[in-house]
Each structure stands twice: as C-alpha cells, then as structure tokens.
Amino acid sequence: MEHITKEDILSTKPDCISAAALEAKAETVGTGKANLELGRTVVLAIMAGIQIGMGALFMTYVKADQTLGFAAANVLGGLCFALGLICVIVAGSELFTGNVLLVMAAGSRKIRWSAVAKNWAVVWLGNFIGSLILVGIIFGCGLMGTKAGDNTIGAQMVAVAAGKINLGPDQIFFRGIMCNLLVCLAVWMGFAGRTVIDKIFTAIFPVMAFVAMGFEHCVANMFFLPMGVIASSFGYGAAPLSWSGVIYNISLATVGNIVGGAIFVGLIYWLGYRRKEAAA
C-alpha cells in the first residue's frame, strides 16, 4: 500500500479557490471586462442574450405541460433555465446581470465608475439585441403552435409574459433584487471552480431557486416579454399584451437586478474580503 506523507497532503491543490481569494479574482475579471474592446463586448453581449433566451425557451417548454404539478413545473423549469447561465459562464459571454459585479473592481479603483456605466449600457443593449434575434428565430421556427399537454407553447409564452407585466412596480423591483442576488451568487461561486463541472454545478441551484420562486431577471424578460407580445398578436393565449408593458417590466427589473447584484453580493463581498493596501 502506498504511503502518503504529511507533505503530500499539504501540497495537494484544494478542490476550489478559497472565499478570501475570490474577491481578488472578481476584481481581475471585472477589470478585463471593463477594458474589453467595444466590438468584442457587443458581440459577446449579443451571444449572452441568445443564450439566456435559449434557457428561457427550454423552461417554457417544460412549464407548458399542464400535467405537471406546481412544484414539479417550477423546479424542473428552473433546472432547464439554468442552461442559459451555464452557457454564459462556461462558453464565455457578456451578461448584464453578472457584470454588475464590476462594482468590486471599481471599489478598489482598478477601473473607473464611468467604465462600469459604459460596460453596463453596452452589455444591456447587446443582451436585448441578442434576445430579439432569438425571438425572430423562434418565430420563424413555427414553435408557438406546438402542443404541450393540453396547451400550446404560444399560449404559455403569453401566460408567462402576462404574469410578469401585470405585477406591481414594487413587486418587480424587489423580485429583481432577489433574482440577481441569486444569479450573482452563482457567478461568484463559479469563480471558485477549477473545472467545467464545478462551474456548471454552482450555476444550477441558484438559478433553479430564482426561477421556481418567480423572481425577475431583466435579460430573461428581454426574451419572455417580446415573445409573449408576438404570440398574443397571433391569437395565442387570452391576455392582451403591449410593448409598453415590456418596457415597464424590464426597466424596473433592471434597477432591481443592479441593487441585488451590486449591493447584496458585490459590495458585501468586497467589504468582507477586499485586500487592504499596505501602509506606505
């Protein structure tokens, strides 16, 4: 039997990066994102919008099956939605809700606050463009009339969109906070992973939780709501939807997402783990 020494144990690389080291990594990642060329930022943001939309569509297929119970539909739908964030984290793209963590690099003066604002604006717009591109593709696929249980995908798209648009402003805002608290925790924990499987696993449960509990993700809604409006205009579902409702929900969800990610994850972990500069 092979003998394992104390030195062998101490030299073994830990399974994940320590919590204390994550803040420094988050600053490094944030600095890289802020300094990324504009063209690269735009195309990667468009890709993230498409990826999150694919997760949203996957979730819609599951929740359209009305033979599923409440808990099963929400939990399984959340698991399917995790596809989007997994693609963003592993494949590498620019997602607005994750990029709110740039506040950590700005707090340590690694980047300017103006660079944070610019990145957020460009990535948010790119995510929206990507989401709308996917909406157009899905419309071209003719999937809205696909049967799922006793329902159609188009009717489910309208139901999801109507449920979001009909929320009160305070509900959208606070649900946005809770959503991005969980999403940014998934991103934060993903920084600790050393393998692809690590990153996938850390993304799954926070995403399942926010979807199952009905929280508001502005980028996901960039797909859900336009898709619902288009489905409604073609006679699917019973709820009338308008583009003003799309703007209403996404704008409030965006503000809530910034608060949830930047303050309840970014600021708290920056205060807890940032490295203080040595005295001169």
Side-chain angles (χ1 to χ4, degrees):
M1 184 176 179
E2 184 179 356
H3 178 66
I4 300 176
T5 66
K6 181 179 179 181
E7 287 72 23
D8 291 331
I9 296 174
L10 293 176
S11 64
T12 300
K13 183 180 290 187
D15 291 336
C16 65
I17 298 172
S18 69
L22 287 182
E23 197 280 328
K25 183 172 182 179
E27 288 187 16
T28 300
V29 171
T31 301
K33 288 178 176 291
N35 293 326
L36 193 65
E37 296 171 10
L38 178 61
R40 293 177 186 269
T41 301
V42 171
V43 296
L44 291 175
I46 290 172
M47 192 63 201
I50 293 172
Q51 290 166 339
I52 294 296
M54 289 191 298
L57 178 65
F58 194 11
M59 185 205 87
T60 303
Y61 259 74
V62 171
K63 296 195 73 172
D65 184 352
Q66 299 194 359
T67 63
L68 293 172
F70 174 80
N74 285 319
V75 172
L76 187 56
L79 177 62
C80 293
F81 186 90
L83 166 69
L85 188 61
I86 289 170
C87 289
V88 168
I89 291 174
V90 177
S93 52
E94 295 294 305
L95 179 64
F96 171 78
T97 47
N99 281 19
V100 300
L101 292 179
L102 267 66
V103 297
M104 303 174 86
S108 293
R109 299 181 181 178
K110 302 288 180 63
I111 56 176
R112 294 178 180 274
W113 286 103
S114 59
V116 174
K118 177 183 176 182
N119 178 272
W120 288 357
V122 171
V123 172
W124 189 96
L125 183 59
N127 289 166
F128 209 165
I129 292 171
S131 299
L132 294 177
I133 289 172
L134 185 65
V135 167
I137 293 171
I138 299 306
F139 175 76
C141 289
L143 297 178
M144 291 189 292
T146 303
K147 284 285 185 180
D150 297 326
N151 208 344
T152 62
I153 299 303
Q156 182 62 27
M157 289 171 174
V158 173
V160 170
K164 292 176 175 294
I165 289 173
N166 291 331
L167 291 171
D170 54 336
Q171 291 177 305
I172 297 173
F173 173 70
F174 285 106
R175 291 186 188 201
I177 291 175
M178 286 302 302
C179 170
N180 215 30
L181 191 161
L182 286 162
V183 170
C184 284
L185 280 176
V187 173
W188 172 265
M189 292 188 294
F191 289 154
R194 296 185 183 276
T195 69
V196 170
I197 297 301
D198 294 342
K199 295 178 182 296
I200 291 174
F201 191 79
T202 55
I204 290 174
F205 286 97
V207 172
M208 283 177 63
F210 100 69
V211 172
M213 291 184 281
F215 298 145
E216 297 294 306
H217 188 275
C218 67
V219 180
N221 290 358
M222 292 173 185
F223 173 81
F224 280 130
L225 303 188
M227 198 77 247
V229 169
I230 290 174
S232 176
S233 69
F234 278 85
Y236 293 97
L241 301 174
S242 67
W243 288 103
S244 61
V246 173
I247 296 169
Y248 159 75
N249 176 282
I250 292 176
S251 59
L252 287 168
T254 297
V255 177
N257 289 165
I258 291 172
V259 173
I263 296 177
F264 288 99
V265 179
L267 179 60
I268 287 177
Y269 279 118
W270 179 75
L271 290 172
Y273 288 115
R274 76 189 190 284
R275 295 180 181 178
K276 295 182 179 180
E277 299 295 333

